[in-house]
Amino acid sequence: MSETFKALVLNQDGETFTREVKSVDKSFLKHGDVTIKVDYSDLNFKDGMILKNGGRLVKEFPHIPGIDFSGTVIESESEKFKEGDEIILTGFRVGEIYYGGYSQIAKVDGNFLVKKPKDLSSKQAMMLGTAGFTSLMSAFAIKAREELLLGAKVNDVLVTGATGGVGSVAVMILNKMGYNVTAVTGKNDKNNYLESLGAKNVINRSEFDKDPRPIDKGLWDGVVDTVGGKILANAIAQTKSNGIIAVCGNANSNELNTNLLPFMLRGIKIWGMDSAGASIKRREFVWQAATDLIDFDLLEKSVQVLSLEELIETYPKILKGEISGRVLIDLNK
Ligand SMILES: NC(=O)c1ccc[n+]([C@@H]2O[C@H](COP(=O)([O-])OP(=O)(O)OC[C@H]3O[C@@H](n4cnc5c(N)ncnc54)[C@H](OP(=O)(O)O)[C@@H]3O)[C@@H](O)[C@H]2O)c1
């Protein structure tokens, strides 16, 4: 193995913040016990925040970002992994406090890795990444209304931020689960795209971005919310009895002003999603389910594949909500 490889390195010197693709020596990698040749990484909202200015998540510079990657183990001091194992890494604060996947070679704690299911390719794993993993977790949370909570069948579900990474994959999965999906988007020209993913209805974001009534007509058995703020507050007011709201993101706001009526009168539940801290057991279950629930040929149509150099040009778009679908980073491009 070559001792040098290409990585995207962030640096901060006083007020100056830099992002640079450069050649790095293996001795630069200072965390973990498993070394991986990275095939693919991706771009999530959190990556965008880190690439902009560290996002108050990165504590030390220089730093290699990238919260997700897939690849093959080339060296291991961990008993759990050996050379040749194909792995998936998402979350666990890799790319934040540990060096991440925007690097041809990565080194991480073996306790963070999941063995890639055989019927999922390394590329497909990163077409999903943290965003798709969170969509799967959210869809299972909604489905739990039927299984764990012995509730009636889920029929109508709402997805907010629907053209985003989490939202678009959630639309696809919930449709595959047999639910009627309504997608909320701020993009006027994306109705056909959302319908192609399986949305039965598309609603403009402006209808949700207003002060909610304390309790509204119940419309949804389940909600996947990726944006927060007034949009989430309206979704809560419109959730039917015993509905479940999977709360994943804050692309609109961290704020939530709601009231107790939907909880007391309808028994609705808010279920927070924490993909970064999910247990290995949960991760293995979710990744195993991916091939049954995702149409990768369809997903690939809305995937852009970028090099590290192209990522530096493109990342600001995710912070402005301008990306539809998923962005894949090919470390060999
Ligand atoms: N909890 C977890 O474990 C977890 C995991 C992954 C992501 N997240 C969070 O989930 C959110 C979505 O992540 P992502 O990777 O899917 O990001 P993304 O690809 O940028 O998608 C976010 C989508 O939200 C909508 N949006 C953007 N800005 C908005 C605004 N100001 N007001 C209302 N809607 C807005 C846009 O969709 P439309 O144009 O279609 O409306 C955008 O495409 C982020 O907050 C992220 O941090 C959380």
Side-chain angles (χ1 to χ4, degrees), residues 277-332:
S279 69
I280 292 292
K281 203 170 175 184
R282 187 113 187 261
R283 287 166 192 260
E284 286 169 348
F285 170 83
V286 169
W287 284 115
Q288 201 62 54
T291 43
D292 286 338
L293 290 168
I294 308 285
D295 177 344
F296 284 102
D297 291 336
L298 179 59
L299 186 60
E300 191 153 18
K301 289 183 187 160
S302 56
V303 169
Q304 319 176 37
V305 185
L306 305 181
S307 64
L308 288 177
E309 291 82 358
E310 290 165 329
L311 171 63
I312 293 178
E313 302 301 314
T314 303
Y315 86 85
K317 288 188 180 173
I318 201 160
L319 298 174
K320 294 187 218 150
E322 288 175 5
I323 293 203
S324 297
R326 294 277 296 143
V327 175
L328 198 66
I329 313 303
D330 181 349
L331 274 301
N332 294 308

Short mmCIF file of all heavy atoms in Angstrom, two decimals, residues 277-332:
data_model
loop_
_atom_site.label_atom_id
_atom_site.label_comp_id
_atom_site.label_asym_id
_atom_site.label_seq_id
_atom_site.Cartn_x
_atom_site.Cartn_y
_atom_site.Cartn_z
N GLY A 277 -25.65 7.74 16.78
CA GLY A 277 -25.40 6.95 18.00
C GLY A 277 -26.10 5.60 17.99
O GLY A 277 -26.09 4.91 19.02
N ALA A 278 -26.70 5.19 16.89
CA ALA A 278 -27.42 3.91 16.85
C ALA A 278 -26.46 2.76 17.18
O ALA A 278 -25.29 2.79 16.80
CB ALA A 278 -28.03 3.70 15.46
N SER A 279 -26.99 1.74 17.86
CA SER A 279 -26.14 0.60 18.24
C SER A 279 -25.75 -0.22 17.00
O SER A 279 -26.42 -0.15 15.97
CB SER A 279 -26.90 -0.32 19.21
OG SER A 279 -27.95 -0.96 18.51
N ILE A 280 -24.69 -0.99 17.13
CA ILE A 280 -24.24 -1.83 16.01
C ILE A 280 -25.34 -2.84 15.64
O ILE A 280 -25.61 -3.08 14.47
CB ILE A 280 -22.93 -2.57 16.36
CG1 ILE A 280 -21.77 -1.55 16.47
CG2 ILE A 280 -22.60 -3.66 15.35
CD1 ILE A 280 -21.36 -0.90 15.16
N LYS A 281 -26.05 -3.36 16.66
CA LYS A 281 -27.12 -4.33 16.39
C LYS A 281 -28.21 -3.69 15.53
O LYS A 281 -28.70 -4.27 14.56
CB LYS A 281 -27.70 -4.77 17.74
CG LYS A 281 -28.38 -6.09 17.71
CD LYS A 281 -28.69 -6.55 19.11
CE LYS A 281 -29.49 -7.83 19.04
NZ LYS A 281 -29.91 -8.29 20.33
N ARG A 282 -28.58 -2.47 15.90
CA ARG A 282 -29.61 -1.75 15.14
C ARG A 282 -29.12 -1.46 13.72
O ARG A 282 -29.85 -1.59 12.74
CB ARG A 282 -29.90 -0.44 15.89
CG ARG A 282 -31.06 0.36 15.37
CD ARG A 282 -32.20 0.41 16.35
NE ARG A 282 -33.36 1.04 15.78
CZ ARG A 282 -33.68 2.30 16.01
NH1 ARG A 282 -32.94 3.04 16.80
NH2 ARG A 282 -34.76 2.81 15.47
N ARG A 283 -27.85 -1.06 13.63
CA ARG A 283 -27.29 -0.76 12.31
C ARG A 283 -27.33 -1.99 11.42
O ARG A 283 -27.69 -1.90 10.24
CB ARG A 283 -25.83 -0.29 12.46
CG ARG A 283 -25.70 1.10 13.02
CD ARG A 283 -24.27 1.36 13.46
NE ARG A 283 -24.22 2.58 14.26
CZ ARG A 283 -23.84 3.77 13.81
NH1 ARG A 283 -23.42 3.92 12.58
NH2 ARG A 283 -23.86 4.83 14.59
N GLU A 284 -26.93 -3.15 11.98
CA GLU A 284 -26.90 -4.37 11.16
C GLU A 284 -28.30 -4.70 10.65
O GLU A 284 -28.49 -5.05 9.48
CB GLU A 284 -26.32 -5.54 11.97
CG GLU A 284 -24.82 -5.41 12.13
CD GLU A 284 -24.21 -6.38 13.14
OE1 GLU A 284 -24.97 -7.03 13.91
OE2 GLU A 284 -22.97 -6.46 13.18
N PHE A 285 -29.29 -4.52 11.51
CA PHE A 285 -30.68 -4.79 11.11
C PHE A 285 -31.10 -3.85 9.99
O PHE A 285 -31.65 -4.27 8.97
CB PHE A 285 -31.60 -4.60 12.33
CG PHE A 285 -33.06 -4.63 11.97
CD1 PHE A 285 -33.73 -5.83 11.82
CD2 PHE A 285 -33.76 -3.44 11.77
CE1 PHE A 285 -35.08 -5.85 11.45
CE2 PHE A 285 -35.10 -3.45 11.42
CZ PHE A 285 -35.76 -4.66 11.25
N VAL A 286 -30.80 -2.56 10.16
CA VAL A 286 -31.25 -1.55 9.18
C VAL A 286 -30.55 -1.76 7.84
O VAL A 286 -31.19 -1.76 6.78
CB VAL A 286 -31.00 -0.12 9.73
CG1 VAL A 286 -31.18 0.92 8.65
CG2 VAL A 286 -31.94 0.16 10.91
N TRP A 287 -29.21 -1.98 7.85
CA TRP A 287 -28.50 -2.17 6.58
C TRP A 287 -28.97 -3.42 5.86
O TRP A 287 -29.07 -3.47 4.64
CB TRP A 287 -26.98 -2.21 6.81
CG TRP A 287 -26.39 -0.86 7.07
CD1 TRP A 287 -25.81 -0.43 8.23
CD2 TRP A 287 -26.35 0.26 6.17
NE1 TRP A 287 -25.41 0.88 8.10
CE2 TRP A 287 -25.73 1.33 6.85
CE3 TRP A 287 -26.79 0.47 4.87
CZ2 TRP A 287 -25.53 2.58 6.26
CZ3 TRP A 287 -26.59 1.71 4.28
CH2 TRP A 287 -25.96 2.75 4.97
N GLN A 288 -29.27 -4.47 6.64
CA GLN A 288 -29.75 -5.71 6.05
C GLN A 288 -31.08 -5.49 5.33
O GLN A 288 -31.36 -6.10 4.30
CB GLN A 288 -29.91 -6.76 7.17
CG GLN A 288 -29.90 -8.20 6.72
CD GLN A 288 -28.59 -8.60 6.05
OE1 GLN A 288 -27.54 -8.43 6.63
NE2 GLN A 288 -28.67 -9.14 4.84
N ALA A 289 -31.90 -4.58 5.88
CA ALA A 289 -33.23 -4.34 5.30
C ALA A 289 -33.17 -3.48 4.04
O ALA A 289 -34.14 -3.41 3.27
CB ALA A 289 -34.12 -3.65 6.35
N ALA A 290 -32.01 -2.82 3.84
CA ALA A 290 -31.94 -1.82 2.77
C ALA A 290 -32.27 -2.39 1.39
O ALA A 290 -33.01 -1.79 0.61
CB ALA A 290 -30.55 -1.18 2.75
N THR A 291 -31.73 -3.58 1.09
CA THR A 291 -31.91 -4.08 -0.28
C THR A 291 -33.37 -4.41 -0.59
O THR A 291 -33.80 -4.34 -1.73
CB THR A 291 -31.03 -5.32 -0.55
OG1 THR A 291 -31.11 -6.17 0.58
CG2 THR A 291 -29.59 -4.93 -0.79
N ASP A 292 -34.15 -4.76 0.43
CA ASP A 292 -35.57 -5.06 0.19
C ASP A 292 -36.39 -3.80 -0.01
O ASP A 292 -37.42 -3.82 -0.66
CB ASP A 292 -36.16 -5.81 1.40
CG ASP A 292 -35.68 -7.24 1.44
OD1 ASP A 292 -35.27 -7.74 0.37
OD2 ASP A 292 -35.68 -7.83 2.53
N LEU A 293 -35.94 -2.71 0.60
CA LEU A 293 -36.79 -1.51 0.64
C LEU A 293 -36.37 -0.41 -0.34
O LEU A 293 -37.09 0.56 -0.52
CB LEU A 293 -36.80 -0.93 2.07
CG LEU A 293 -37.55 -1.80 3.08
CD1 LEU A 293 -37.29 -1.34 4.51
CD2 LEU A 293 -39.05 -1.76 2.80
N ILE A 294 -35.18 -0.57 -0.92
CA ILE A 294 -34.69 0.49 -1.81
C ILE A 294 -34.59 -0.02 -3.25
O ILE A 294 -34.01 -1.08 -3.49
CB ILE A 294 -33.27 0.97 -1.38
CG1 ILE A 294 -33.24 1.34 0.12
CG2 ILE A 294 -32.78 2.11 -2.26
CD1 ILE A 294 -33.86 2.65 0.48
N ASP A 295 -35.13 0.78 -4.16
CA ASP A 295 -34.95 0.52 -5.59
C ASP A 295 -33.70 1.31 -6.02
O ASP A 295 -33.79 2.51 -6.29
CB ASP A 295 -36.20 0.97 -6.34
CG ASP A 295 -36.06 0.79 -7.85
OD1 ASP A 295 -34.93 0.61 -8.33
OD2 ASP A 295 -37.10 0.85 -8.53
N PHE A 296 -32.56 0.64 -6.04
CA PHE A 296 -31.30 1.37 -6.29
C PHE A 296 -31.21 1.91 -7.71
O PHE A 296 -30.56 2.93 -7.93
CB PHE A 296 -30.09 0.49 -5.95
CG PHE A 296 -29.86 0.39 -4.47
CD1 PHE A 296 -30.25 -0.73 -3.76
CD2 PHE A 296 -29.29 1.45 -3.77
CE1 PHE A 296 -30.07 -0.81 -2.39
CE2 PHE A 296 -29.10 1.38 -2.40
CZ PHE A 296 -29.49 0.25 -1.71
N ASP A 297 -31.85 1.24 -8.67
CA ASP A 297 -31.83 1.77 -10.05
C ASP A 297 -32.53 3.13 -10.08
O ASP A 297 -32.07 4.06 -10.73
CB ASP A 297 -32.51 0.80 -11.01
CG ASP A 297 -31.69 -0.47 -11.19
OD1 ASP A 297 -30.47 -0.40 -10.95
OD2 ASP A 297 -32.28 -1.51 -11.53
N LEU A 298 -33.64 3.22 -9.36
CA LEU A 298 -34.38 4.48 -9.30
C LEU A 298 -33.59 5.53 -8.52
O LEU A 298 -33.45 6.67 -8.96
CB LEU A 298 -35.75 4.22 -8.63
CG LEU A 298 -36.69 5.39 -8.45
CD1 LEU A 298 -37.02 6.02 -9.78
CD2 LEU A 298 -37.98 4.93 -7.76
N LEU A 299 -33.03 5.11 -7.40
CA LEU A 299 -32.28 6.04 -6.56
C LEU A 299 -31.09 6.63 -7.33
O LEU A 299 -30.79 7.82 -7.24
CB LEU A 299 -31.80 5.33 -5.29
CG LEU A 299 -31.12 6.18 -4.22
CD1 LEU A 299 -32.06 7.26 -3.70
CD2 LEU A 299 -30.64 5.31 -3.06
N GLU A 300 -30.44 5.77 -8.11
CA GLU A 300 -29.23 6.20 -8.82
C GLU A 300 -29.51 7.36 -9.79
O GLU A 300 -28.63 8.17 -10.06
CB GLU A 300 -28.61 5.01 -9.57
CG GLU A 300 -27.23 5.33 -10.10
CD GLU A 300 -26.35 4.09 -10.25
OE1 GLU A 300 -26.88 2.97 -10.28
OE2 GLU A 300 -25.13 4.27 -10.36
N LYS A 301 -30.76 7.44 -10.27
CA LYS A 301 -31.11 8.51 -11.22
C LYS A 301 -30.97 9.89 -10.58
O LYS A 301 -30.82 10.89 -11.27
CB LYS A 301 -32.54 8.34 -11.72
CG LYS A 301 -32.68 7.16 -12.66
CD LYS A 301 -34.10 7.08 -13.19
CE LYS A 301 -34.27 5.80 -13.99
NZ LYS A 301 -35.65 5.40 -14.13
N SER A 302 -31.07 9.95 -9.24
CA SER A 302 -30.96 11.26 -8.59
C SER A 302 -29.69 11.37 -7.74
O SER A 302 -29.62 12.12 -6.79
CB SER A 302 -32.20 11.53 -7.73
OG SER A 302 -32.38 10.50 -6.80
N VAL A 303 -28.68 10.55 -8.12
CA VAL A 303 -27.40 10.61 -7.41
C VAL A 303 -26.37 11.31 -8.28
O VAL A 303 -26.21 10.96 -9.46
CB VAL A 303 -26.92 9.17 -7.06
CG1 VAL A 303 -25.48 9.19 -6.55
CG2 VAL A 303 -27.82 8.55 -6.00
N GLN A 304 -25.70 12.32 -7.74
CA GLN A 304 -24.57 12.94 -8.44
C GLN A 304 -23.30 12.34 -7.86
O GLN A 304 -23.20 12.24 -6.64
CB GLN A 304 -24.43 14.43 -8.17
CG GLN A 304 -25.62 15.28 -8.12
CD GLN A 304 -25.22 16.72 -7.73
OE1 GLN A 304 -24.19 17.25 -8.13
NE2 GLN A 304 -26.07 17.33 -6.94
N VAL A 305 -22.34 11.99 -8.73
CA VAL A 305 -21.07 11.42 -8.25
C VAL A 305 -19.98 12.47 -8.43
O VAL A 305 -19.74 12.93 -9.54
CB VAL A 305 -20.71 10.12 -9.00
CG1 VAL A 305 -19.46 9.50 -8.40
CG2 VAL A 305 -21.87 9.13 -8.96
N LEU A 306 -19.33 12.84 -7.34
CA LEU A 306 -18.32 13.91 -7.37
C LEU A 306 -16.97 13.42 -6.88
O LEU A 306 -16.88 12.48 -6.09
CB LEU A 306 -18.75 15.06 -6.45
CG LEU A 306 -20.13 15.71 -6.67
CD1 LEU A 306 -20.31 16.85 -5.66
CD2 LEU A 306 -20.26 16.24 -8.08
N SER A 307 -15.92 14.12 -7.31
CA SER A 307 -14.59 13.92 -6.75
C SER A 307 -14.46 14.81 -5.52
O SER A 307 -15.33 15.69 -5.28
CB SER A 307 -13.52 14.32 -7.78
OG SER A 307 -13.65 15.72 -8.03
N LEU A 308 -13.38 14.66 -4.76
CA LEU A 308 -13.15 15.54 -3.60
C LEU A 308 -13.05 17.00 -4.06
O LEU A 308 -13.55 17.90 -3.38
CB LEU A 308 -11.87 15.13 -2.87
CG LEU A 308 -11.92 13.83 -2.07
CD1 LEU A 308 -10.55 13.54 -1.47
CD2 LEU A 308 -12.98 13.87 -0.98
N GLU A 309 -12.39 17.21 -5.20
CA GLU A 309 -12.22 18.59 -5.70
C GLU A 309 -13.59 19.18 -6.04
O GLU A 309 -13.89 20.34 -5.71
CB GLU A 309 -11.34 18.61 -6.96
CG GLU A 309 -9.86 18.28 -6.71
CD GLU A 309 -9.55 16.78 -6.63
OE1 GLU A 309 -10.49 15.95 -6.74
OE2 GLU A 309 -8.36 16.43 -6.45
N GLU A 310 -14.46 18.38 -6.68
CA GLU A 310 -15.81 18.86 -7.04
C GLU A 310 -16.67 19.08 -5.79
O GLU A 310 -17.52 19.98 -5.76
CB GLU A 310 -16.50 17.86 -7.98
CG GLU A 310 -15.86 17.82 -9.36
CD GLU A 310 -16.26 16.59 -10.18
OE1 GLU A 310 -16.51 15.51 -9.60
OE2 GLU A 310 -16.29 16.71 -11.41
N LEU A 311 -16.42 18.29 -4.77
CA LEU A 311 -17.17 18.45 -3.51
C LEU A 311 -16.96 19.85 -2.93
O LEU A 311 -17.90 20.48 -2.42
CB LEU A 311 -16.71 17.38 -2.51
CG LEU A 311 -17.22 17.52 -1.08
CD1 LEU A 311 -18.75 17.38 -1.02
CD2 LEU A 311 -16.58 16.46 -0.17
N ILE A 312 -15.73 20.35 -3.01
CA ILE A 312 -15.43 21.68 -2.46
C ILE A 312 -16.27 22.75 -3.17
O ILE A 312 -16.71 23.71 -2.55
CB ILE A 312 -13.91 21.97 -2.55
CG1 ILE A 312 -13.17 21.03 -1.60
CG2 ILE A 312 -13.60 23.43 -2.22
CD1 ILE A 312 -11.65 21.17 -1.61
N GLU A 313 -16.51 22.55 -4.46
CA GLU A 313 -17.35 23.51 -5.20
C GLU A 313 -18.83 23.36 -4.85
O GLU A 313 -19.58 24.33 -4.86
CB GLU A 313 -17.20 23.28 -6.73
CG GLU A 313 -15.78 23.39 -7.26
CD GLU A 313 -15.19 24.75 -6.98
OE1 GLU A 313 -15.89 25.74 -7.21
OE2 GLU A 313 -14.03 24.80 -6.49
N THR A 314 -19.26 22.13 -4.57
CA THR A 314 -20.70 21.82 -4.49
C THR A 314 -21.29 21.93 -3.09
O THR A 314 -22.49 22.21 -2.94
CB THR A 314 -20.94 20.38 -5.03
OG1 THR A 314 -20.43 20.32 -6.35
CG2 THR A 314 -22.40 20.00 -5.04
N TYR A 315 -20.47 21.72 -2.04
CA TYR A 315 -21.07 21.57 -0.70
C TYR A 315 -21.96 22.75 -0.27
O TYR A 315 -22.95 22.54 0.45
CB TYR A 315 -19.98 21.28 0.36
CG TYR A 315 -19.34 22.52 0.90
CD1 TYR A 315 -19.92 23.23 1.95
CD2 TYR A 315 -18.17 23.03 0.35
CE1 TYR A 315 -19.35 24.40 2.42
CE2 TYR A 315 -17.61 24.19 0.80
CZ TYR A 315 -18.20 24.88 1.84
OH TYR A 315 -17.67 26.04 2.29
N PRO A 316 -21.66 24.03 -0.68
CA PRO A 316 -22.53 25.11 -0.17
C PRO A 316 -24.00 24.93 -0.54
O PRO A 316 -24.88 25.40 0.18
CB PRO A 316 -21.95 26.38 -0.81
CG PRO A 316 -20.52 26.04 -1.12
CD PRO A 316 -20.56 24.59 -1.50
N LYS A 317 -24.25 24.20 -1.63
CA LYS A 317 -25.64 24.02 -2.08
C LYS A 317 -26.48 23.27 -1.05
O LYS A 317 -27.68 23.51 -0.93
CB LYS A 317 -25.69 23.25 -3.40
CG LYS A 317 -25.22 24.05 -4.58
CD LYS A 317 -25.49 23.28 -5.84
CE LYS A 317 -25.04 24.06 -7.06
NZ LYS A 317 -25.14 23.28 -8.27
N ILE A 318 -25.88 22.33 -0.33
CA ILE A 318 -26.69 21.54 0.61
C ILE A 318 -27.15 22.44 1.76
O ILE A 318 -28.24 22.27 2.31
CB ILE A 318 -25.97 20.26 1.11
CG1 ILE A 318 -27.02 19.26 1.63
CG2 ILE A 318 -24.94 20.54 2.21
CD1 ILE A 318 -26.57 17.82 1.71
N LEU A 319 -26.35 23.44 2.09
CA LEU A 319 -26.72 24.35 3.19
C LEU A 319 -27.82 25.31 2.77
O LEU A 319 -28.52 25.87 3.60
CB LEU A 319 -25.49 25.12 3.67
CG LEU A 319 -24.38 24.23 4.23
CD1 LEU A 319 -23.13 25.06 4.54
CD2 LEU A 319 -24.86 23.49 5.48
N LYS A 320 -27.98 25.49 1.45
CA LYS A 320 -29.04 26.38 0.94
C LYS A 320 -30.27 25.58 0.53
O LYS A 320 -31.20 26.14 -0.06
CB LYS A 320 -28.52 27.17 -0.27
CG LYS A 320 -27.39 28.14 0.07
CD LYS A 320 -27.07 28.99 -1.17
CE LYS A 320 -25.59 29.22 -1.29
NZ LYS A 320 -25.14 29.38 -2.66
N GLY A 321 -30.28 24.27 0.79
CA GLY A 321 -31.44 23.44 0.42
C GLY A 321 -31.58 23.29 -1.07
O GLY A 321 -32.68 23.06 -1.58
N GLU A 322 -30.47 23.39 -1.82
CA GLU A 322 -30.55 23.40 -3.28
C GLU A 322 -30.26 22.03 -3.91
O GLU A 322 -30.23 21.91 -5.13
CB GLU A 322 -29.56 24.42 -3.85
CG GLU A 322 -30.01 25.85 -3.59
CD GLU A 322 -28.99 26.89 -4.04
OE1 GLU A 322 -27.96 26.52 -4.64
OE2 GLU A 322 -29.23 28.06 -3.75
N ILE A 323 -30.03 21.01 -3.07
CA ILE A 323 -29.69 19.70 -3.64
C ILE A 323 -30.92 18.80 -3.60
O ILE A 323 -31.63 18.76 -2.60
CB ILE A 323 -28.50 19.09 -2.88
CG1 ILE A 323 -27.29 19.96 -3.17
CG2 ILE A 323 -28.31 17.62 -3.22
CD1 ILE A 323 -25.96 19.37 -3.01
N SER A 324 -31.17 18.11 -4.71
CA SER A 324 -32.22 17.09 -4.73
C SER A 324 -31.54 15.74 -4.76
O SER A 324 -30.62 15.55 -5.55
CB SER A 324 -33.09 17.22 -5.98
OG SER A 324 -33.74 18.44 -5.97
N GLY A 325 -32.02 14.81 -3.95
CA GLY A 325 -31.43 13.48 -3.94
C GLY A 325 -30.10 13.46 -3.21
O GLY A 325 -29.86 14.26 -2.33
N ARG A 326 -29.23 12.55 -3.64
CA ARG A 326 -28.01 12.30 -2.88
C ARG A 326 -26.75 12.64 -3.67
O ARG A 326 -26.71 12.55 -4.89
CB ARG A 326 -27.97 10.81 -2.49
CG ARG A 326 -29.08 10.45 -1.53
CD ARG A 326 -28.72 10.77 -0.10
NE ARG A 326 -27.60 9.98 0.35
CZ ARG A 326 -26.65 10.43 1.17
NH1 ARG A 326 -26.68 11.66 1.62
NH2 ARG A 326 -25.66 9.64 1.53
N VAL A 327 -25.72 13.03 -2.94
CA VAL A 327 -24.41 13.31 -3.53
C VAL A 327 -23.44 12.25 -3.03
O VAL A 327 -23.27 12.06 -1.82
CB VAL A 327 -23.91 14.71 -3.13
CG1 VAL A 327 -22.51 14.95 -3.66
CG2 VAL A 327 -24.87 15.79 -3.63
N LEU A 328 -22.83 11.56 -3.99
CA LEU A 328 -21.88 10.48 -3.68
C LEU A 328 -20.47 11.00 -3.96
O LEU A 328 -20.27 11.70 -4.95
CB LEU A 328 -22.21 9.32 -4.62
CG LEU A 328 -21.71 7.94 -4.33
CD1 LEU A 328 -22.38 7.41 -3.07
CD2 LEU A 328 -22.09 7.02 -5.51
N ILE A 329 -19.51 10.67 -3.13
CA ILE A 329 -18.12 11.06 -3.38
C ILE A 329 -17.35 9.79 -3.73
O ILE A 329 -17.28 8.85 -2.93
CB ILE A 329 -17.48 11.73 -2.13
CG1 ILE A 329 -18.41 12.81 -1.53
CG2 ILE A 329 -16.10 12.28 -2.47
CD1 ILE A 329 -18.82 13.90 -2.48
N ASP A 330 -16.77 9.80 -4.94
CA ASP A 330 -15.98 8.66 -5.41
C ASP A 330 -14.51 8.99 -5.12
O ASP A 330 -13.94 9.90 -5.73
CB ASP A 330 -16.23 8.47 -6.91
CG ASP A 330 -15.46 7.28 -7.47
OD1 ASP A 330 -14.58 6.75 -6.76
OD2 ASP A 330 -15.73 6.89 -8.63
N LEU A 331 -13.91 8.24 -4.21
CA LEU A 331 -12.53 8.55 -3.80
C LEU A 331 -11.52 8.17 -4.87
O LEU A 331 -10.34 8.53 -4.77
CB LEU A 331 -12.20 7.82 -2.48
CG LEU A 331 -12.60 8.56 -1.19
CD1 LEU A 331 -11.90 9.93 -1.13
CD2 LEU A 331 -14.08 8.76 -1.03
N ASN A 332 -11.99 7.47 -5.92
CA ASN A 332 -11.08 7.15 -7.02
C ASN A 332 -11.29 8.03 -8.23
O ASN A 332 -10.71 7.80 -9.29
CB ASN A 332 -11.25 5.67 -7.42
CG ASN A 332 -10.79 4.77 -6.30
OD1 ASN A 332 -9.68 4.93 -5.79
ND2 ASN A 332 -11.67 3.88 -5.86
#
